[in-house]
Amino acid sequence: MSIEKKGDCMTCAEKVLIMTGNHAAAYAVKLCDVQVISAYPITPQSPVVEKLMEFVESGEMKAEYVAVESEHSAITVCISASVVGARVFTASCANGLALMHEMLHWAAGTRLPIVMAIPNRAVAAPWNILNDQQDSISQRDTGWMQIYCRNNQEILDTVIQAYRIAETVMAPVMVCYDGYVLSHTLMPVNMPDEKLVREYLPPYRPHTVLDPKSPRNINPVTLADPRMNAEGVLCHGYMELRSLLQKSLLGSVSVVAEAGREFGRIFGREYGIYDSYRTEDADLLMVSIGSLASEAMDTVDNMRAAGMKIGVMHLRLYRPFPAEVIAKAVRETGCRGVAVLEKNVSYGYEGAVCSDLKAALFDHGVDVFAHSYILGLGGRNVSVSDIEEALNRSYGYLEKKGPDRIKGQEWINCRV
Amino acid sequence: MKEDKGPTSGCDHITASSTPATGEGGRTGDWRVLYPVISRDGCVVAKTGKPMCYMCWMFCPEGVISKTVPPEINLEYCKGCGICAEECPSKAITMVQESGE
Amino acid sequence: MKKLTAVTMPDKEYMLPGNRSCVGCGLSIAYRHGLKALGDSVILTVPASCLTVLQGMYPVSSMLVPCLNTAFETTAASAAGIRAGLDALGKRDVTVVGWAGDGGTSDIGIQALSGAAERNTDFIYICYDNEGYMNTGTQRSGSTPYGAVTSTCPSGKLEHKKDMPMIMAAHNIPYVATVSPSYPIDLYEKFTTAKHMKGTRYLHLLIPCPPGWGYDPRYTVKIGRMAVLCGMFDLYEIINGKLSFYGPSLRIATGEPREPVEAYIRAQNRYRDVSMEVVEMLQEWVDKKWESYKKMGYCETD
């Protein structure tokens, strides 16, 4: 449900609507003139695609909607439609996203600018339909970019930016936001002007089109080594094609930054690679992805009031991992330690974001500790005191040196 | 056979995308053990000088037999399956042993 | 209209010589003539299969039609995506064709196919049935017949094959047809019929496979013919629910005796170990199938 209220945007005449995160994603898809949508229902994603179906049926949006029989087919439809030259969208999460796994590799390997919205949800077993980030984190090695959102405005804005980014990098993008916490929560959202969105996002131009006029065979068996084509040009082997994907992704941090800056110029809301709150002069930095980072701001205010110098950093871009940017940002705060609070775990080790961050800090010679805290799995409520508990524990390590500051991963508010 | 060494900088593909050419699998005529010979006396097209029959053309899995007068077989790519010989209604095609190298 | 013969069939070849199909490949015959019938305005999508091999390795392809290779179980979904993309771009005149093997169709791909058929997606689905996973080295599939030896049923399969065309007919799609490369004129005509229709059209091709079935490559066409003449595989089409037999199958339907299945069985090494009981079981399976055609009224002529 969207309730219209009077706009108060400073930089442009934007309407402000009250809507859920799911509907924010759907409105963004409509603004982006997406041509093919294919999805399969899963809680808490369904309202995204229900809303889109409403737009398509009412004629508000000119798009083909393919109501497939599985998530595997949904992403396949997006892949094929994208190869033909259409701008495409899908949404899924949890087990549905896991079912897509094989095709996520196909999408990235074919270098298709598909955008997928993911209202993050726990993955079975056992069944659980509530929020954590295990689903998207489990797909981090598929060649998709991943951007995390903290509120509904960010969801809408990020979906629009995602198409610009994807169509520049020629790689697919997941726009992730916490299930229920954002997907089903009403918030005011500024609605960008559609003409300005068209200015920001030019029409999709595919790099390789499937067309009867030029009979190409796309994604055939590709050998380990390069091979000559009929014209005598030495063409890539599998490894070269994969390396080109990796190079594009590694080089895309600046594309994400540019897309965020340009968005700010046109719509008045600028986005970066990460967001920080009270990180200047912080001794301890809390790092997180998604809504947890915005919830932690109150906690940090409380702790600052109690004399503890703590700041929050939200990693907006998780894949590609902006190692250099983040390491530099951490160094610049002058902090001595980092506590990574996350709603996922790389089973058998620690939180995935923590591992990546540690590697980035190590590579760039930033000598601070990084502790991994797992919380909020399967919708377990994350209270202010849970965040405080984690931050207090790491705060106690600030004076420690060498091996004494190492601390294994820890689960917060878990009763076993 | 040219050596496929060196960088692939001449290739602007970011996704694997092939373009068509004859002989993708090489000179498949080299696979052959037996090769087909059309007898000018047996083949109805050769005998009458008129386009007709063309069962050899129709059943050839490789598409290497021409619908000409008389039909001709492209031995560079004919894999030597012998279906043409088997299906020729006038038994005008015989399979002959390739001479060893 | 002039009667279609080998002489009047179009000369233009869409499948190029020097490809990687096996010697005497039945699929190549079907692919060659199928592409001729489908013509210039077509986009294929193909999953992992022998056809992937035939169509060639990057950066060279063996056909003059565009194709998107896709994951094993996704042929119909991939076709649905191509269709949706073309429709969104206003390219409604392009025919979309999914072309998969029997494993890709009756086993791993049946979900996506059933879904696309239920939605009556506007495309042609072609299942080339060589009765097993021949490209991966002759493993059993849901389409392998009773008694046949594969590498995963080394003593012979103990279950009959799925009746895939009838499963598709049960989806009430506009067109279902069975085709054999041993009858290229019929093949060409059915592909043409399918091309001029809308909605989901399903063609099921029985494809003799020299290495997988175990016979001399020169007999591919003969083996395919024997399968039809003994009633193991029947040539028909179902248009809007009405089944009509073709050629030899029509003659069988109207009373001509079938050849015994034994000759067909004995011509193939995959049935090398079958006992007389198994031959009788297969004969019984064929007899029952034809009985059921009669009961359904399929053998009555207008």
Side-chain angles (χ1 to χ4, degrees):
Chain A
M1 190 181 64
S2 309
I3 308 156
E4 206 166 317
K5 79 165 198 186
K6 265 218 157 122
D8 56 2
C9 175
M10 303 290 283
T11 55
C12 48
E14 286 186 340
K15 263 194 316 195
V16 180
L17 303 177
I18 310 291
M19 65 174 74
T20 61
N22 278 338
H23 283 183
Y27 273 97
V29 170
K30 181 158 90 84
L31 284 168
C32 292
D33 295 326
V34 167
Q35 293 159 303
V36 173
I37 301 155
S38 186
Y40 185 78
I42 183 168
T43 302
Q45 156 264 32
S46 305
V48 186
V49 290
E50 286 165 355
K51 191 76 192 165
L52 285 168
M53 189 46 143
E54 218 177 286
F55 289 148
V56 172
E57 284 221 328
S58 69
E60 271 183 82
M61 194 180 169
K62 201 174 159 290
E64 298 291 322
Y65 188 108
V66 189
V68 285
E69 80 303 324
S70 72
E71 287 89 354
H72 200 281
S73 288
I75 184 68
T76 303
V77 164
C78 288
I79 289 168
S80 302
S82 182
V83 173
V84 173
R87 183 176 283 161
V88 303
F89 175 79
T90 189
S92 193
C93 61
N95 291 63
L97 183 59
L99 182 60
M100 286 183 178
H101 178 77
E102 178 194 22
M103 301 316 290
L104 298 181
H105 285 282
W106 278 85
T110 318
R111 304 296 301 272
L112 299 171
I114 298 167
V115 173
M116 166 155 49
I118 300 175
N120 288 110
R121 168 186 149 178
V123 182
W127 275 127
N128 179 293
I129 60 159
L130 303 174
N131 166 241
D132 68 34
Q133 294 166 335
Q134 193 66 44
D135 52 357
S136 54
I137 291 290
S138 297
Q139 305 302 339
R140 67 176 186 177
D141 298 337
T142 53
W144 282 60
M145 301 175 75
Q146 290 193 1
I147 304 177
Y148 287 80
C149 305
R150 293 177 299 174
N151 56 52
N152 295 358
Q153 184 71 59
E154 288 192 6
I155 295 171
L156 184 132
D157 293 348
T158 303
V159 167
I160 298 169
Q161 291 168 56
Y163 279 105
R164 183 177 162 119
I165 296 162
E167 290 169 14
T168 306
V169 182
M170 283 301 167
V173 180
M174 294 177 185
V175 177
C176 310
Y177 51 95
D178 290 296
Y180 300 102
V181 181
L182 297 182
S183 73
H184 283 63
T185 304
L186 290 165
M187 293 179 188
V189 174
N190 276 37
M191 194 58 53
D193 178 76
E194 59 179 54
K195 282 193 202 77
L196 291 178
V197 174
R198 288 195 184 113
E199 182 192 312
Y200 176 79
L201 181 66
Y204 165 44
R205 264 189 295 276
H207 55 87
T208 310
V209 189
L210 203 52
D211 187 329
K213 287 185 193 78
S214 80
R216 292 167 176 279
N217 190 24
I218 297 175
N219 289 332
V221 175
T222 299
L223 296 167
D225 288 319
R227 186 182 180 215
M228 211 71 93
N229 71 9
E231 287 75 46
V233 177
L234 189 61
C235 294
H236 310 306
Y238 177 89
M239 205 160 163
E240 282 73 27
L241 286 165
R242 285 285 154 170
S243 167
L244 289 170
L245 171 62
Q246 171 75 337
K247 282 196 172 100
S248 294
L249 289 173
L250 292 176
S252 69
V253 177
S254 60
V255 177
V256 176
E258 188 276 336
R261 264 197 312 275
E262 183 64 7
F263 195 89
R265 190 185 68 77
I266 296 180
F267 302 100
R269 290 182 296 279
E270 194 170 324
Y271 287 81
I273 302 302
Y274 62 92
D275 306 283
S276 36
Y277 181 70
R278 303 188 76 171
T279 54
E280 68 293 343
D281 82 337
D283 288 328
L284 180 71
L285 210 55
M286 170 184 154
V287 173
S288 199
I289 54 173
S291 62
L292 200 53
S294 78
E295 285 156 21
M297 292 194 295
D298 290 340
T299 318
V300 163
D301 286 343
N302 294 345
M303 294 177 89
R304 283 250 176 195
M308 297 162 87
K309 288 168 143 187
I310 297 178
V312 187
M313 185 184 280
H314 169 243
L315 297 194
R316 183 170 178 253
L317 179 65
Y318 176 61
R319 275 294 177 275
F321 195 75
E324 197 179 339
V325 175
I326 297 301
K328 184 165 170 276
V330 172
R331 189 205 306 276
E332 280 172 359
T333 64
C335 72
R336 282 171 284 157
V338 175
V340 185
L341 278 65
E342 49 192 316
K343 296 176 179 178
N344 75 83
V345 57
S346 174
Y347 283 94
Y349 195 28
E350 61 184 2
V353 177
C354 185
S355 294
D356 288 337
L357 183 64
K358 276 182 188 170
L361 297 174
F362 179 86
D363 275 355
H364 293 87
V366 183
D367 187 22
V368 303
F369 66 72
H371 294 161
S372 174
Y373 295 96
I374 312 300
L375 70 180
L377 298 190
R380 175 69 55 92
N381 185 48
V382 180
S383 64
V384 169
S385 64
D386 292 334
I387 299 173
E388 273 177 5
E389 184 185 335
L391 296 179
N392 273 322
R393 289 202 192 165
S394 283
Y395 209 83
Y397 281 75
L398 286 176
E399 301 311 321
K400 295 188 179 180
K401 299 256 182 272
D404 287 347
R405 64 185 197 174
I406 298 172
K407 178 177 162 308
Q409 53 94 40
E410 201 172 339
W411 292 42
I412 301 294
N413 188 18
C414 179
R415 324 283 170 83
V416 289
Chain B
M1 184 82 187
K2 251 171 149 178
E3 278 281 307
D4 290 349
K5 300 274 185 214
T8 56
S9 43
C11 175
D12 62 358
H13 295 166
I14 59 168
T15 188
S17 160
S18 299
T19 41
T22 297
E24 187 282 320
R27 290 168 56 104
T28 48
D30 295 348
W31 300 7
R32 223 168 31 232
V33 181
L34 304 170
Y35 70 97
V37 178
I38 304 177
S39 147
R40 298 288 158 105
D41 302 330
C43 170
V44 290
V45 179
K47 275 198 298 194
T48 61
K50 286 182 185 150
M52 56 170 76
C53 182
Y54 290 128
M55 287 297 135
C56 53
W57 172 87
M58 190 164 73
F59 287 112
C60 175
E62 308 303 326
V64 292
I65 305 181
S66 67
K67 231 157 78 174
T68 49
V69 182
E72 277 168 22
I73 301 173
N74 181 348
L75 290 176
E76 193 174 350
Y77 296 114
C78 164
K79 292 171 186 165
C81 65
I83 290 175
C84 54
E86 200 61 34
E87 295 305 318
C88 175
S90 7
K91 298 280 162 221
I93 304 175
T94 42
M95 298 302 289
V96 180
Q97 190 75 36
E98 292 277 349
S99 54
E101 290 289 294
Chain C
M1 208 176 85
K2 224 165 136 187
K3 195 174 178 294
L4 189 71
T5 65
V7 181
T8 57
M9 277 170 104
D11 292 354
K12 182 172 176 185
E13 299 288 346
Y14 293 84
M15 183 196 81
L16 302 175
N19 62 58
R20 290 171 201 266
S21 69
C22 299
V23 178
C25 174
L27 170 62
S28 295
I29 303 174
Y31 185 64
R32 239 189 97 203
H33 295 301
L35 291 187
K36 280 175 194 284
L38 292 169
D40 288 313
S41 191
V42 63
I43 294 178
L44 292 188
T45 184
V46 170
S49 61
C50 301
L51 191 51
T52 321
V53 177
L54 189 159
Q55 292 188 153
M57 293 196 286
Y58 177 72
V60 187
S61 68
S62 295
M63 72 295 191
L64 299 175
V65 287
C67 176
L68 177 62
N69 289 270
T70 189
F72 212 170
E73 66 278 45
T74 63
T75 313
S78 178
I82 295 172
R83 179 78 275 155
L86 291 171
D87 288 353
L89 299 169
K91 300 178 181 174
R92 290 181 195 273
D93 55 330
V94 179
T95 303
V96 179
V97 177
W99 196 315
D102 52 290
T105 302
S106 65
D107 290 347
I108 197 168
I110 198 167
Q111 175 181 319
L113 173 57
S114 178
E118 181 270 328
R119 299 190 302 273
N120 199 22
T121 301
D122 185 25
F123 81 120
I124 301 175
Y125 190 101
I126 295 157
C127 169
Y128 76 91
D129 179 7
N130 51 21
E131 303 193 319
Y133 292 90
M134 299 321 187
N135 187 42
T136 43
T138 329
Q139 292 84 16
R140 95 192 268 291
S141 79
S143 203
T144 302
Y146 192 99
V149 166
T150 73
S151 61
T152 49
C153 51
S155 310
K157 197 183 169 208
L158 298 174
E159 304 82 21
H160 288 291
K161 70 182 289 173
K162 284 189 199 181
D163 193 347
M164 199 58 211
M166 286 301 177
I167 291 171
M168 292 314 294
H171 285 74
N172 292 315
I173 53 176
Y175 190 66
V176 173
T178 54
V179 177
S180 161
S182 302
Y183 301 89
I185 302 289
D186 177 52
L187 182 149
Y188 185 93
E189 285 175 342
K190 282 173 176 160
F191 270 74
T192 307
T193 303
K195 188 187 155 93
H196 291 111
M197 293 175 87
K198 288 278 172 201
T200 303
R201 294 143 281 171
Y202 178 84
L203 294 169
H204 193 97
L205 282 58
L206 183 74
I207 298 292
C209 167
W213 293 12
Y215 63 85
D216 188 310
R218 67 190 290 150
Y219 298 127
T220 289
V221 174
K222 285 217 154 49
I223 296 275
R225 214 174 269 139
M226 287 171 90
V228 174
L229 295 174
C230 74
M232 282 283 275
F233 184 75
D234 316 309
L235 298 176
Y236 58 77
E237 63 184 4
I238 306 172
I239 299 179
N240 295 322
K242 188 178 170 2
L243 186 147
S244 347
F245 286 105
Y246 163 86
S249 300
L250 176 62
R251 289 195 290 277
I252 292 168
T254 49
E256 208 169 276
R258 280 177 266 122
E259 302 281 338
V261 297
E262 190 176 3
Y264 173 68
I265 304 284
R266 297 296 178 205
Q268 302 168 57
N269 201 37
R270 62 174 169 160
Y271 294 111
R272 60 187 171 270
D273 297 323
V274 300
S275 60
M276 212 43 222
E277 283 103 78
V278 172
V279 173
E280 279 158 17
M281 275 187 71
L282 283 162
Q283 184 64 59
E284 198 186 325
W285 180 79
V286 171
D287 294 346
K288 274 192 180 153
K289 184 178 66 173
W290 276 93
E291 278 308 309
S292 76
Y293 285 156
K294 276 198 190 114
K295 276 189 205 142
M296 300 290 285
Y298 296 154
C299 299
E300 289 154 21
T301 48
D302 296 330

